Amino acid sequence: MSIQEDIQEVIMPEFDTNIEDLFARMNPEPQTSLEEEYADEMSDIEFSIFRHKLATIATEGKEVMAKLGVSSALRSEDSGTGIYTACGDMSSAAAGVYYHALSGQLPVKYTLSKWGTDTSVRIEDGDIFFSTDPIYGATHTPDQIAFMPVIVDGVLVSWVSAVAHQADVGAMEPGLSAMSTNAWSDGVRLLPHKIGTNFGLREDLVQSIGNMTRVPDEQILDIKARVAACTRMVRRLKDLAETLGSEIFIGAVRRCVDDGRVQVRRRLMEFNDGTYRSTVFIDGVGGDMGLQRIHCAITKKDDKLTVKLEGTSPQNPFSFNAYASMPVTTLANPFFSYLLSDVPPSVGLLDQIEMEIPDGTCLSASADAAVSCSLWPTFLLQAAAHCATMKMAFDSDHRDKLSATQSANAVGGYGVGVNQHGLLAADLYVDPVNGSGGGARPDADGVDVFAGIWGNYMDTNDAEQLEIRGPYYKVYSRIARDGHGFGKFRGGSGQDTAYVAHKVPDALSHGTMGFGTKFPTAPGIFGGYAGNTTPGAYILGSNVIDLMRSGEWDAPTSTGDLVENRLCEGEYKFDYATYPALNVTDGDVWMMVGAGGGGWGDVLERSPQMVVEDLRAGVISDFTAKEIYKVAYDPESFMVEVEETEKLRDETREERKQIGKPYSEFIQEWEQQSPPEHALKYFGEFPGTVA
Amino acid sequence: MAEQTPTKVQVAEYLDINLGTETWECNKCGHGLGAATQNYKEGCLIRDRSPEEIHQPIIEGEYTFAPDPGWCRIVECYCPNCGVLIDTEYLPPGHPLTHDMEIDIEQLKAKHAGNEEK
């Protein structure tokens, strides 16, 4: 099949694969002549129904991937599916993770441009394409993308994609490779290329991809799950296009982009013009600890946003870097899940955003940089952008859509090795990350065990499935105590959990990936405090299994309870949230405390009754109730002592006025301070300048 | 009845902008916090706190489950009159405070022209 001339005119001659220019291709392409001609063929009601059908089809694809996938990320719907115009612009998406669908534009556009007229490849009905290259939309090597054209009677009418994280991709470490130092140690990097024709996979190619990883069978099965999602969506879209007629279908798919843009403009016009800034800090770079700054200044003028990242720290020598094509996609969650939660998601959003990223930052890394953990700095950018955009939107009729930042940091883990059934297996323990706490809201607490900052609509692991697939089981799973930002409304707490290795045939390679050990990353808002910090923690040679067998095991109320009271024997170890892979065997325990969302408002305005209810539920400690919220209560009945509470709070307000210093006096003393030198190794100039 | 331009607009949980005087005011007590073209923090009382005062350490050592006070400080901004906690920032020691909200006053006035006082 040859690509229609109008598509060739738009996308083929100009596609620039220079990494610095790629993020410009995230924006919608100009309309093709056919898209323009058929843009208004449907009535508004017909179009609304059409758009809803696209959303339903994308959701069905995501569910297919979740049901057929093997890796945790697929099963927990830490994934995304997208539907695109014939030129590769996102028209609809199902999340999971919206940025997966947005970034899926790049491999589609790359394929159109590079292979559309290449007679050795070509694009045909039933072709199956696949990519794992972070430069072209994979975000980091584990985020693998399957994508397919939708072709009706020889006419290219649309594309679909299915993206999800793979547990192992053959990098220098299993799982995410935090220690990677260059692009060639990040694992399999496959350019967008064809892996199947006529709705069937090329088994030789799929087996070869599997062969590049530590766990070939899982890789192969998960490719098939992604492709099954795509083929389901292609089938549905072909039916729809055949019913409507190809031209009308093409016009309507494009209208999703243009109508989305109109709705985004309308919403932005409701917010106050101005510049809103936020600065957050990450405390590691992968193979080492050190502070890096992520800064964003969002200037809103009429219906346009300019996002400037000047002041963001330099590219680092490990893998906490991202390519410049990625940062803009991280705006998807604050907008699609919050400020535009009532607007169908489309790339029309990005047409209203201009992003200025200086060269050489950790968010604009060079092509040879390791980006295995690219998500970490981009999560921080998302936290900063979330905070800034919520302030932008406060004085509007959409205050009910706001929240403090949901958790951006957590300790997730992975295990790779031979399982109890003698099979090679790899998995992510996504519970503490997918089960992070939500941000506090203007009129309610954040949701406990909510979702990671990258996507609101995903689940934690199913414990039974994990235990079937790996030589370990869960020791406990709780809502993390004090694991959130305090405030008038508190952030949601993350999941606090631990695993013990059991029936390990040989050795299980276990490690973690995370950050936020020395510096929290989910800021509070309007006086609320930030979410909690989370170290790496494990116990070698514990007697937990023996205690369970003897019936003497009293499950801890929290990881804090376990480590503070040494509830089992063993060698207790504490580390940064990302610690290198280590071999674990029977009895070894690893604990992962999920992080919580930021708080909203002054702690002294929190309802004392809500404080004692949290205390009774074990979500906060006695220390927090008394010392942070200043609530007096009867420890037996949990009854609030109202007058004493009011007195304590009045005293605290007076104390603030006594201790607080006038701005100029404060700054004079403050500017004399600085962090220790070793904390600034990767920071760049301190304090330097920001936008 | 003719609609009037409001004199105050609430732009954050504890911050108003007085459109007449173009100044920041505390939303709880009305205390003035300086010109709205400047950072409202300049009109606040500021306090540097160790994060361990808020996030309780669980164990001793390098990794305590709490932020590291050498790397991270909590900077709190209070209304000088009523003591409400207007803003918190988590910053490395000595790092400049963020000018987080720089609102276009003229556009704000235009937007609220004709609205009744909230």
Side-chain angles (χ1 to χ4, degrees):
Chain A
M1 190 204 85
S2 60
I3 303 297
Q4 299 97 288
E5 283 183 7
D6 62 336
I7 296 175
Q8 290 191 37
E9 284 169 10
V10 166
I11 201 161
M12 290 186 177
E14 295 178 6
F15 195 91
D16 189 344
T17 53
N18 181 308
I19 187 170
E20 282 80 19
D21 297 328
L22 269 174
F23 77 93
R25 297 309 293 252
M26 296 297 293
N27 290 338
E29 304 295 333
Q31 273 185 321
T32 67
S33 52
L34 201 62
E35 287 171 344
E36 192 174 359
E37 187 180 345
Y38 286 89
D40 299 319
E41 284 294 309
M42 289 182 180
S43 69
D44 288 349
I45 290 175
E46 288 170 335
F47 174 65
S48 181
I49 294 168
F50 173 83
R51 185 159 56 186
H52 187 74
K53 283 181 178 172
L54 294 194
T56 306
I57 290 167
T59 301
E60 184 183 4
K62 183 168 67 70
E63 294 302 319
V64 166
M65 183 159 50
K67 295 290 184 290
L68 297 180
V70 179
S71 292
S72 288
L74 278 77
R75 294 197 312 273
S76 62
E77 304 193 32
D78 187 349
S79 59
T81 49
I83 296 173
Y84 308 87
T85 66
C87 289
D89 292 319
M90 193 188 90
S91 301
S92 186
V97 182
Y98 281 126
Y99 71 65
H100 279 330
L102 267 180
S103 61
Q105 296 182 131
L106 286 181
V108 171
K109 292 182 181 184
Y110 178 95
T111 297
L112 274 166
S113 175
K114 294 285 284 188
W115 312 134
T117 54
D118 188 316
T119 53
S120 72
V121 185
R122 303 179 66 84
I123 297 170
E124 306 285 353
D125 185 21
D127 281 351
I128 302 164
F129 292 87
F130 187 71
S131 174
T132 70
D133 193 327
I135 291 179
Y136 303 111
T139 61
H140 63 158
T141 41
D143 284 343
Q144 301 180 344
I145 307 174
F147 56 105
M148 294 178 68
V150 183
I151 296 172
V152 176
D153 297 330
V155 177
L156 177 64
V157 299
S158 180
W159 291 82
V160 299
S161 78
V163 189
H165 183 110
Q166 196 65 33
D168 181 81
V169 294
M172 67 180 277
E173 293 177 286
L176 293 175
S177 187
M179 310 296 163
S180 290
T181 53
N182 57 54
W184 299 274
S185 50
D186 270 351
V188 179
R189 283 188 178 222
L190 296 166
L191 284 172
H193 69 294
K194 193 186 290 189
I195 60 168
T197 57
N198 198 25
F199 297 96
L201 284 162
R202 280 269 307 266
E203 199 60 30
D204 55 338
L205 290 176
V206 174
Q207 297 275 347
S208 295
I209 296 169
N211 196 44
M212 298 176 197
T213 73
R214 292 174 177 82
V215 195
D217 288 347
E218 283 188 18
Q219 171 67 80
I220 291 163
L221 287 168
D222 284 342
I223 288 175
K224 292 179 178 177
R226 293 179 183 89
V227 172
C230 288
T231 52
R232 179 68 63 89
M233 290 189 284
V234 169
R235 190 195 308 168
R236 299 286 190 226
L237 291 173
K238 286 181 77 162
D239 287 347
L240 190 56
E242 282 165 0
T243 304
L244 294 169
S246 296
E247 291 85 358
I248 292 174
F249 180 91
I250 287 170
V253 172
R254 171 67 196 204
R255 186 173 164 186
C256 293
V257 175
D258 298 322
D259 185 78
R261 183 195 297 115
V262 169
Q263 296 198 51
V264 171
R265 283 176 174 165
R266 194 178 296 144
R267 182 60 47 85
L268 288 176
M269 288 298 288
E270 296 182 61
F271 303 144
N272 292 340
D273 285 359
T275 298
Y276 303 87
R277 298 181 183 84
S278 182
T279 307
V280 291
F281 303 87
I282 189 168
D283 53 10
V285 293
D288 199 3
M289 294 184 68
L291 287 171
Q292 288 216 298
R293 175 172 59 197
I294 307 292
H295 175 80
C296 83
I298 299 179
T299 297
K300 185 259 167 185
K301 174 69 176 167
D302 299 328
D303 61 1
K304 283 279 188 185
L305 297 176
T306 305
V307 182
K308 295 181 179 178
L309 305 188
E310 183 191 349
T312 295
S313 289
Q315 177 178 325
N316 62 70
F318 293 99
S319 68
F320 288 16
N321 296 298
Y323 297 136
S325 53
M326 172 132 188
V328 75
T329 68
T330 63
L331 296 168
N333 205 42
F335 278 96
F336 291 150
S337 300
Y338 291 90
L339 302 182
L340 296 170
S341 55
D342 52 346
V343 172
S346 81
V347 71
L349 166 69
L350 299 193
D351 228 11
Q352 300 309 112
I353 299 173
E354 187 177 329
M355 186 168 263
E356 297 178 12
I357 317 176
D359 290 339
T361 73
C362 61
L363 291 173
S364 52
S366 57
D368 58 355
V371 295
S372 188
C373 290
S374 65
L375 303 176
W376 297 174
T378 52
F379 291 166
L380 268 286
L381 174 59
Q382 195 170 313
H386 186 108
C387 217
T389 52
M390 297 297 138
K391 289 177 180 176
M392 173 183 77
F394 184 90
D395 173 33
S396 75
D397 291 336
H398 302 283
R399 200 177 294 174
D400 60 336
K401 297 182 177 69
L402 309 188
S403 82
T405 308
Q406 61 196 89
S407 163
N409 65 298
V411 183
Y414 56 84
V416 181
V418 177
N419 71 8
Q420 65 271 41
H421 313 296
L423 300 169
L424 267 173
D427 224 333
L428 299 172
Y429 320 124
V430 298
D431 325 34
V433 285
N434 288 11
S436 299
R441 293 166 284 175
D443 54 358
D445 292 340
V447 177
D448 294 325
V449 191
F450 177 52
I453 195 168
W454 53 102
N456 287 13
Y457 311 102
M458 54 193 180
D459 297 327
T460 59
N461 285 127
D462 180 291
E464 300 299 331
Q465 283 199 23
L466 268 175
E467 291 172 1
I468 287 169
R469 297 190 58 250
Y472 35 74
Y473 56 82
K474 276 204 167 193
V475 183
Y476 55 85
S477 189
R478 310 279 195 192
I479 293 174
R481 179 177 299 168
D482 290 339
H484 54 261
F486 312 123
K488 175 183 176 182
F489 294 103
R490 66 168 176 83
S493 267
Q495 187 176 143
D496 179 2
T497 192
Y499 293 80
V500 60
H502 179 55
K503 293 188 177 177
V504 178
D506 183 8
L508 177 72
S509 180
H510 157 76
T512 55
M513 62 272 181
F515 53 93
T517 298
K518 287 175 174 279
F519 210 112
T521 54
I525 195 165
F526 305 134
Y529 290 106
N532 54 315
T533 44
T534 55
Y538 53 95
I539 307 167
L540 298 178
S542 88
N543 64 337
V544 165
I545 295 172
D546 291 340
L547 290 171
M548 285 181 165
R549 282 194 179 121
S550 65
E552 295 172 27
W553 176 246
D554 188 14
T557 57
S558 66
T559 292
D561 180 30
L562 172 61
V563 303
E564 193 175 7
N565 299 310
R566 295 296 199 259
L567 297 179
C568 66
E569 295 173 4
E571 187 182 359
Y572 286 68
K573 299 276 205 179
F574 303 96
D575 206 332
Y576 183 56
T578 294
Y579 55 81
L582 55 107
N583 285 336
V584 294
T585 190
D586 286 14
D588 293 342
V589 175
W590 51 98
M591 299 84 87
M592 294 176 290
V593 184
W600 178 299
D602 186 348
V603 286
L604 299 184
E605 293 210 321
R606 183 166 180 77
S607 151
Q609 190 58 38
M610 291 170 82
V611 172
V612 292
E613 284 169 10
D614 277 349
L615 184 65
R616 192 198 294 263
V619 180
I620 62 169
S621 63
D622 185 63
F623 170 88
T624 299
K626 287 179 176 166
E627 301 302 325
I628 308 298
Y629 288 115
K630 302 292 181 185
V631 171
Y633 58 92
D634 182 321
E636 299 294 324
S637 66
F638 289 95
M639 290 289 287
V640 174
E641 294 168 4
V642 177
E643 286 183 12
E644 181 61 17
T645 298
E646 285 177 2
K647 181 168 168 283
L648 284 171
R649 289 183 166 189
D650 285 343
E651 287 171 358
T652 303
R653 291 187 189 95
E654 284 305 311
E655 182 188 73
R656 288 171 174 177
K657 291 193 286 183
Q658 297 301 319
I659 296 177
K661 294 176 180 170
Y663 183 83
S664 54
E665 184 184 332
F666 173 84
I667 292 295
Q668 209 168 11
E669 294 174 16
W670 177 250
E671 285 179 344
Q672 304 306 312
Q673 301 182 42
S674 69
E677 201 171 320
H678 66 270
L680 295 175
K681 272 187 288 187
Y682 306 104
F683 191 88
E685 184 187 352
F686 183 87
T689 56
V690 298
Chain B
M1 191 174 78
E3 293 183 334
Q4 294 179 333
T5 303
T7 55
K8 289 183 187 179
V9 175
Q10 186 183 8
V11 294
E13 184 75 15
Y14 303 119
L15 289 171
D16 292 343
I17 288 182
N18 185 318
L19 297 178
T21 58
E22 299 189 5
T23 52
W24 294 104
E25 291 182 3
C26 172
N27 175 264
K28 300 295 288 183
C29 70
H31 185 80
L33 298 170
T37 51
Q38 300 294 309
N39 193 345
Y40 64 86
K41 294 173 186 175
E42 294 180 24
C44 294
L45 293 174
I46 317 286
R47 177 181 181 186
D48 165 22
R49 298 188 77 168
S50 168
E52 293 183 341
E53 293 176 28
I54 305 299
H55 305 277
Q56 196 181 23
I58 293 172
I59 53 174
E60 294 182 348
E62 185 175 4
Y63 305 104
T64 65
F65 289 78
D68 186 327
W71 291 40
C72 173
R73 310 296 297 180
I74 301 177
V75 176
E76 298 188 345
C77 302
Y78 309 129
C79 169
N81 184 56
C82 68
V84 70
L85 176 54
I86 293 173
D87 187 67
T88 56
E89 278 203 83
Y90 287 62
L91 296 170
H95 188 282
L97 277 58
T98 306
H99 189 178
D100 57 338
M101 290 192 292
E102 198 174 340
I103 296 173
D104 181 335
I105 305 299
E106 293 308 314
Q107 187 263 346
L108 189 68
K109 284 181 178 176
K111 175 181 165 181
H112 287 277
N115 289 356
E116 295 206 314
E117 188 164 358
K118 292 179 179 176

